[in-house]
Amino acid sequence: MELKDRMPVLYRHLGVWDGYYRYFDKDGVKIDEHKSRLLCRFPTEHTYHQTNFYFWQDGKKETRDFPTKIENNKIIFYTEVSGWAAEVTLDEFNRTVMLYWVRTNEENLHLYEMIQISDCGKYRSRVWQWFKNGRLLQRTLIDEEFVTTDWQSYENLQPEYADIA
């Protein structure tokens, strides 16, 4: 059975996504915001590769790269973050993916993420809940719009803040 049949919700995320991240402390006060472009690809039946480009209005930029492997219908992270991503099989609407991950360089910090993709596949919303020593530290809200499945055309581009919708 092909990957798109084994993991149909995850496979719907294939392509380029432009978005906006907003970070809030545990009391709901905004502490940061930036734009993003994500390249989501499945190079083989057993791998997923995501590259995140972040852009702040003041010109700051950051790139994070997440090559992964796929085992037992889960994406396994093993770089600067470790953890997993999996479809929520209880979601009869086939919209939800859950993630659990830790940053390997930060002690006692872990995150849970929920990704909700729209039925039309053009929009997705993500929520990160950050926990430090078992207590809520902050939340990140992410709104994204689908750009194209043609991630190859975007792989070597270096966009600017103004290029992201």
Side-chain angles (χ1 to χ4, degrees):
M1 179 181 290
E2 288 189 38
L3 182 63
K4 65 182 175 182
D5 298 319
R6 287 193 336 265
M7 303 172 75
V9 179
L10 280 163
Y11 202 79
R12 291 178 61 208
H13 296 264
L14 174 71
V16 180
W17 294 85
D18 282 354
Y20 199 69
Y21 284 57
R22 292 176 315 280
Y23 295 79
F24 299 89
D25 70 14
K26 65 180 179 57
D27 297 317
V29 176
K30 188 188 296 183
I31 55 177
D32 192 19
E33 60 187 2
H34 61 80
K35 292 183 179 183
S36 64
R37 172 164 289 158
L38 277 59
L39 306 184
C40 302
R41 51 227 191 259
F42 294 89
T44 72
E45 282 288 309
H46 304 287
T47 59
Y48 171 75
H49 191 164
Q50 181 171 310
T51 304
N52 298 3
F53 300 95
Y54 301 131
F55 310 92
W56 283 260
Q57 195 166 12
D58 66 4
K60 177 183 170 186
K61 297 179 189 178
E62 188 175 312
T63 301
R64 294 207 168 166
D65 200 44
F66 303 101
T68 70
K69 53 189 168 184
I70 298 173
E71 297 175 353
N72 300 319
N73 294 332
K74 289 195 300 190
I75 292 175
I76 307 297
F77 296 94
Y78 58 88
T79 57
E80 69 183 74
V81 299
S82 65
W84 52 263
E87 297 179 4
V88 176
T89 56
L90 293 174
D91 177 6
E92 68 269 18
F93 301 105
N94 297 313
R95 299 176 185 136
T96 308
V97 174
M98 293 294 298
L99 290 83
Y100 167 79
W101 47 281
V102 298
R103 288 196 172 144
T104 54
N105 61 348
E106 295 186 48
E107 200 170 312
N108 298 318
L109 177 74
H110 66 274
L111 290 89
Y112 284 97
E113 177 179 354
M114 182 184 74
I115 304 173
Q116 201 78 22
I117 192 166
S118 65
D119 292 337
C120 68
K122 294 181 182 179
Y123 310 100
R124 65 183 188 178
S125 299
R126 300 164 50 208
V127 177
W128 298 356
Q129 295 206 102
W130 304 61
F131 295 90
K132 178 85 173 175
N133 296 318
R135 298 190 61 168
L136 179 67
L137 176 67
Q138 66 186 38
R139 291 184 174 97
T140 305
L141 303 179
I142 306 157
D143 300 308
E144 295 169 314
E145 288 191 34
F146 179 73
V147 177
T148 180
T149 57
D150 182 17
W151 57 266
Q152 296 93 333
S153 294
Y154 287 76
E155 196 163 32
N156 294 314
L157 296 180
Q158 294 297 319
E160 298 295 326
Y161 184 86
D163 298 331
I164 308 300

